[in-house]
Amino acid sequence: MAATLSTRRRAVAVFAGGFCGTIMRYGLSGLIQAWLGRSWPYNILLINVTGALVLAFVTTLADATFLVGPTRRLFINVGLLGAYTTFSSLALGDVLLFAQGQWLPALLYLLLSMVGGLLAVLTGDWLGQRCLKWWRRSPSQAKITRRLSGALPGDLTGSEHIDVQDDVLLPDLLREPETRGPRS
């Protein structure tokens, strides 16, 4: 039975992820511009492509319920990567190139952004699938699963979902009345 996350928990996960994603984008953008220059939007391209790769990787693991629970998924996919990658920055970079009369670099940037993003998503999904195959073949996986699920409250041994640290972001102390279960 899946637990429903409180509105407060969801909001804090997205807010915290967004804060971290914004800081990462700012820092990485400055480093890329210092290294490659400001003549072309290298920073936006690299940030958006790496964000697409990580988004596909995390989504693949989350869809397989592999160590990415609902709070982590909100933190990473919606908050962190939502702030880290933005379509508006891609569009602005392209419009600025067009406005400067740099038609070929603008078209190349748009093409590289779209194709690079698609290839990054396919690569992230492939990496996620490889990770899942490795995890399922690992001889220590069953031992770890038993140890972790034995430490959890309630009967989670039949569940394939292992997310023991989902409470790290925000303990769900103030649950809505309909989601509160009996305490043991």
Side-chain angles (χ1 to χ4, degrees):
M1 179 174 193
T4 304
L5 298 176
S6 70
T7 303
R8 177 175 167 233
R9 183 181 185 121
R10 289 187 302 245
V12 169
V14 171
F15 175 77
F19 175 79
C20 294
T22 303
I23 299 300
M24 282 175 41
R25 180 184 186 88
Y26 173 75
L28 189 56
S29 182
L31 286 172
I32 294 168
Q33 286 180 340
W35 186 44
L36 297 174
R38 296 174 181 245
S39 62
W40 201 69
Y42 297 106
N43 58 332
I44 299 168
L45 176 66
L46 292 173
I47 286 170
N48 285 337
V49 170
T50 58
L53 179 111
V54 173
L55 180 65
F57 179 74
V58 170
T59 299
T60 298
L61 296 181
D63 287 346
T65 64
F66 177 74
L67 298 175
V68 182
T71 303
R72 285 187 190 152
R73 189 174 192 161
L74 284 171
F75 175 84
I76 296 168
N77 287 7
V78 178
L80 185 97
L81 294 172
Y84 178 73
T85 65
T86 61
F87 181 76
S88 57
S89 294
L90 179 140
L92 178 63
D94 213 37
V95 166
L96 291 175
L97 287 171
F98 277 118
Q100 295 169 359
Q102 298 182 21
W103 292 89
L104 186 58
L107 292 173
L108 180 64
Y109 171 63
L110 190 59
L111 180 68
L112 285 174
S113 294
M114 294 299 159
V115 172
L118 291 172
L119 290 174
V121 166
L122 292 172
T123 304
D125 181 61
W126 178 80
L127 288 171
Q129 295 297 330
R130 298 275 304 181
C131 185
L132 290 171
K133 284 180 185 177
W134 172 82
W135 175 259
R136 289 180 181 138
R137 281 193 329 234
S138 173
S140 62
Q141 185 260 344
K143 185 179 185 183
I144 292 169
T145 302
R146 280 194 302 277
R147 186 174 35 198
L148 292 176
S149 61
L152 295 173
D155 182 23
L156 297 176
T157 55
S159 173
E160 292 181 19
H161 186 78
I162 309 165
D163 193 6
V164 296
Q165 295 182 8
D166 208 29
D167 289 332
V168 170
L169 291 175
L170 178 69
D172 222 1
L173 301 175
L174 301 173
R175 294 178 187 249
E176 281 102 16
E178 66 273 4
T179 62
R180 182 174 288 166
R183 294 215 173 236
S184 26

